[in-house]
Every structure is written in structure tokens, then in C-alpha cells.
Amino acid sequence: MPRPVLVLDLDGTVCLGDTPALLYATRVAALTDAPEALLETAQAFLGQRLPQSAPKTLMGAQDGYEAVKILGLAAGVTEEELSAAYVASRAEMSANPGDIHTPEGLVDLLAGIDAYRVILTNSPGSGLDEVLEHLGVRDVVDEVRTDALKPTRMTGHLDAFLDTVGAADTPEWLMSVGDIWRNDLAPAVERGCVAAYVDAFDRRQGPAHVRAGSFRDLYSAVLDWSNDPSSFLAAHPLKESVQC
């Protein structure tokens, strides 16, 4: 019998708080002619209080990082500069974690679940151990994989995890939990895995087996799935906008 694999995104799923996006915004803003305006708009996005005058392109941003990227590109910041700003902001977060935290009860969930627990993130590895220690999750996950290049390489990661636990022919034994549908969930759906959508901004980008506005509201689904993945899949067919 294979062991279930729980694949968790980091930012917006395991790691909550505005600090990561604000550190990124601060570095991007410094590259523009109007840094205060960019920072104010980024803060408004994170607080879900964008004014009517905000760029319409922000309305579809999936998270704070994407919002900052949209603002930066509009202000003339290059892709290369954005990438460098992102890497620098991640390194800074290890020394300045600010308000980052896990969803309430997550450490207990991960400590008690019988599954191979993975954090899969596009973030660089530099400074991540300190961040995970600050969050309190370092000892309740089995593997951390950084620089994941989601969504491009997501299917390859899923295949590798399924092979690790001997579940290549039963993909429903892997659940992917994340807040960016195209990165975390679309490849899982295509592979036949279980998709749990943390849709904090109510974007409803695509189908999932379960969906909620917070990870906490998906805990019971995660537990039910881990106890019997096949029965869970049968009871939770893909739906476009189902909310737990």
C-alpha cells in the first residue's frame, strides 16, 4: 500500500503574512520614479482595498507578488530587475520575517497526518531554513524542494513524488494544496491527482476537488483524503467553483 503524498505550496498556503510581498515591493519600488505610489498600491492590493483608480490589470493578480510584478513592469522595471529584486527580498526575509505565520493549527495537522509531507516552492533555497524554523514547520515536513519552476516543471515533480511512494498508477494518492491555480493545481488535475485550492482572493481560476478561502477550512478534507484517497476522490469530483 503506498503512502499518501501531501504537496504544499509555501507562500499563501503554508506561509501567510504581507511581509514577503512588501519586501519585494520595496525593492521593486526603489527602481521606479515613484516608489511611494507603487508601495501604496501594493499595500492596498494586499488589504483587498484597491481604489477605483488602480490599474485594471491588478484585478486579476493572483497574489501580492504578481501584483508587484504588474506594477513594476508598468513602471518600466525589467524582468531581470524584477527577478533580482525577488531573490534579494527572499534572502532579506530570513533576517526580517515580520508578520509571516502559518495558518492556525497547521503544525498540528502536519504532525498528526500519515502522509509524506512536501513543501514545493519556486522560492530560492537561500535563507529558507531560517524561514521554516520561524514558521515552526521544519520538523513536520519530510522534504522541502526549492526553485521548483512551477508550473513548467510541476508535472515532473508530481511524477517523482508518486514514484517515491510507489503510487505512479494511483495518482489520487497525491494531494496538491496551493493558492495559485495555474502553478499548484492545474498540473495536479491533469496528472489525476487531488487538487485543494486555497482561493484567498476568490479568483476561481479553474476546477479543483475542494476549494476554500483559507487553508484552515480545508483541513478536514486533507484528513479525509489521507485516510482513504480513492474514496475521497469518488466523493469529491472536480468542480469549477465548489467551496468547502
Side-chain angles (χ1 to χ4, degrees), residues 12-78:
T13 303
V14 169
C15 179
L16 304 181
D18 292 341
T19 294
L22 290 176
L23 290 174
Y24 179 45
T26 299
R27 289 186 174 270
V28 172
L31 302 171
T32 71
D33 294 330
E36 296 85 0
L38 190 149
L39 281 171
E40 287 177 4
T41 305
Q43 291 170 335
F45 176 89
L46 292 168
Q48 299 191 44
R49 48 181 176 78
L50 281 173
Q52 292 291 330
S53 58
K56 291 184 178 180
T57 51
L58 282 182
M59 302 304 177
Q62 298 300 293
D63 61 7
Y65 281 111
E66 187 172 5
V68 172
K69 181 176 181 178
I70 290 170
L71 292 169
L73 289 173
V77 182
T78 68

Side-chain angles (χ1 to χ4, degrees), residues 198-234:
V198 183
D199 192 8
F201 290 97
D202 197 30
R203 294 295 187 246
R204 306 188 183 216
Q205 290 293 304
H209 296 89
V210 288
R211 170 184 166 272
S214 71
F215 192 2
R216 286 185 62 197
D217 291 333
L218 293 173
Y219 288 175
S220 61
V222 172
L223 287 171
D224 289 346
W225 160 81
S226 69
N227 289 328
D228 191 342
S230 298
S231 294
F232 181 87
L233 185 65

Side-chain angles (χ1 to χ4, degrees), residues 10-11 65 86 90 120-126 128 145-148:
L10 182 60
D11 291 286
Y65 281 111
Y86 172 72
R90 298 302 297 192
L120 182 66
T121 175
N122 284 345
S123 300
S126 176
L128 188 58
R145 190 170 294 191
T146 62
D147 299 296

Side-chain angles (χ1 to χ4, degrees), residues 143-227:
E143 181 177 349
V144 178
R145 190 170 294 191
T146 62
D147 299 296
L149 293 178
K150 298 184 287 185
T152 305
R153 296 187 180 177
M154 182 63 166
T155 300
H157 293 304
L158 298 179
D159 286 340
F161 297 140
L162 287 167
D163 286 342
T164 295
V165 299
D169 296 328
T170 52
E172 68 272 15
W173 283 70
L174 186 150
M175 173 185 274
S176 181
V177 185
D179 65 316
I180 307 295
W181 187 82
R182 64 174 179 267
N183 285 1
D184 307 309
L185 306 173
V189 169
E190 183 177 354
R191 182 64 177 82
C193 303
V194 176
Y197 189 1
V198 183
D199 192 8
F201 290 97
D202 197 30
R203 294 295 187 246
R204 306 188 183 216
Q205 290 293 304
H209 296 89
V210 288
R211 170 184 166 272
S214 71
F215 192 2
R216 286 185 62 197
D217 291 333
L218 293 173
Y219 288 175
S220 61
V222 172
L223 287 171
D224 289 346
W225 160 81
S226 69
N227 289 328

Side-chain angles (χ1 to χ4, degrees), residues 47-121:
Q48 299 191 44
R49 48 181 176 78
L50 281 173
Q52 292 291 330
S53 58
K56 291 184 178 180
T57 51
L58 282 182
M59 302 304 177
Q62 298 300 293
D63 61 7
Y65 281 111
E66 187 172 5
V68 172
K69 181 176 181 178
I70 290 170
L71 292 169
L73 289 173
V77 182
T78 68
E79 290 277 2
E80 291 77 12
E81 289 172 325
L82 287 169
S83 179
Y86 172 72
V87 172
S89 73
R90 298 302 297 192
E92 183 180 355
M93 189 171 71
S94 65
N96 180 23
D99 72 342
I100 66 170
H101 61 282
T102 60
E104 184 180 354
L106 179 62
V107 173
D108 290 338
L109 173 73
L110 296 180
I113 194 172
D114 182 15
Y116 186 75
R117 304 150 301 178
V118 180
I119 290 178
L120 182 66
T121 175

